[in-house]
Amino acid sequence: MNQTYSINTLSRDFEITPRALRFYEDKGILSPERRGTTRIYSERDRTRLKLTLRGKRLGLKLEECREIIDMYDPSQSDDSLQLLRLCEKIREHRASLLTKIKDIEETMRAMDDVEGKCLGKLLKNAA
Amino acid sequence: MNQTYSINTLSRDFEITPRALRFYEDKGILSPERRGTTRIYSERDRTRLKLTLRGKRLGLKLEECREIIDMYDPSQSDDSLQLLRLCEKIREHRASLLTKIKDIEETMRAMDDVEGKCLGKLLKNAA
DNA sequence: TCTATAGTTTACGTTAACGTCAACTTTTTG
DNA sequence: CAAAAAGTTGACGTTAACGTAAACTATAGA
């Protein structure tokens, strides 16, 4: 356990460049330890990276990814105010995700429509 | 019918700047007519703009938005090869949307989890 | 021990998607 | 008809997210 990863291993695993990993570190998303000068990524780094890339696929900025990942980090304080703020953030985030789902659904419908017409024409052509 | 829109009207309607509209034109997404030197946007432009913004919300680049919107434009040729290519494109696009849905679902689950813990702590605090 | 191999830090370059003037022209309206 | 409002074309600036090249350093295997 306590698996660790080199920068090259990790970059290969996720099909990104080492440069990107260093960049994410610069942005405060990852914080690998060092053995001498060499970066050692932990399982936590790996998880945060995974979440980051997921966020990116959904069109989030790195900064937004970091914010969200930090919030969801199991280091929640016990302060009620902070907790309420977290709930509010979650509410907002959920809303934006619901919008995205709507967008996707509408796009899907349009695609089905176009595909239908497309297949219709192909059938005609084949006849 | 045959509604038309000025650049300011359209920008207000969609809450974007006139600059953005001109930029989209530059990128070949919109192609408003001109009355003299002034841009006149048609219903078609409006639709394409709507689709563009939807694409953006899903994290697509403007270039990708244009590609997709152009494909789905009701100006489909009758060439079987072209039609098959369109079908293929649709398949790819659908796949990427499905990935996004997966991403959203996983994110939702994580959020529910965090929210649960959050509310739990709040309850404790209130007790 | 010598040389690949892996890794590091600067630091400048690039692309996307506009923002932000500046300097005019055109149109609308009191 | 004069002044405000709306619109236009450059053209340079900006931010995000890395790419890329240079110039080293550290380490590991033959």
Side-chain angles (χ1 to χ4, degrees), chain B residues 6-8 19 22 34 37-39:
Chain B
S6 79
I7 194 166
N8 270 311
R19 175 68 174 98
R22 296 195 190 99
R34 301 286 186 127
T37 166
T38 300
R39 271 164 259 254

Side-chain angles (χ1 to χ4, degrees), chain A residues 39-102:
Chain A
R39 271 164 259 253
I40 309 281
Y41 295 90
S42 67
E43 203 57 59
R44 177 166 186 272
D45 287 315
R46 201 188 163 92
T47 299
R48 291 176 66 94
L49 177 57
K50 187 175 150 194
L51 294 177
T52 302
L53 297 179
R54 180 186 293 165
K56 281 201 58 179
R57 283 197 297 274
L58 294 177
L60 301 189
K61 289 178 187 175
L62 286 181
E63 170 79 29
E64 300 174 314
C65 292
R66 191 184 56 83
E67 247 194 71
I68 294 173
I69 294 173
D70 279 347
M71 278 185 355
Y72 296 0
D73 213 68
S75 61
Q76 297 166 48
S77 81
D78 281 337
D79 177 23
S80 285
L81 188 58
Q82 291 295 326
L83 288 169
L84 281 172
R85 276 195 190 128
L86 175 51
C87 280
E88 183 55 18
K89 280 282 178 186
I90 289 180
R91 232 177 51 81
E92 286 171 24
H93 193 198
R94 199 179 338 245
S96 113
L97 289 182
L98 287 177
T99 300
K100 276 172 206 216
I101 287 186
K102 286 268 180 201

Side-chain angles (χ1 to χ4, degrees), chain B residues 4-69:
Chain B
T4 64
Y5 310 88
S6 79
I7 194 166
N8 270 311
T9 309
L10 204 54
S11 70
R12 257 170 243 140
D13 286 359
F14 288 93
E15 300 187 288
I16 60 181
T17 67
R19 175 68 174 98
L21 287 171
R22 296 195 190 99
F23 186 75
Y24 296 162
E25 180 175 350
D26 224 64
K27 294 296 164 181
I29 294 175
L30 305 178
S31 37
E33 319 220 309
R34 301 286 186 127
R35 192 178 61 201
T37 166
T38 300
R39 271 164 259 254
I40 309 283
Y41 295 89
S42 67
E43 203 55 59
R44 178 167 185 271
D45 288 314
R46 201 188 164 92
T47 299
R48 292 176 65 95
L49 176 57
K50 187 175 151 196
L51 294 177
T52 301
L53 298 179
R54 179 185 294 166
K56 281 200 61 179
R57 282 196 299 275
L58 294 177
L60 300 189
K61 290 179 186 175
L62 286 181
E63 170 78 30
E64 300 174 314
C65 291
R66 191 183 55 82
E67 247 193 72
I68 294 175
I69 295 172

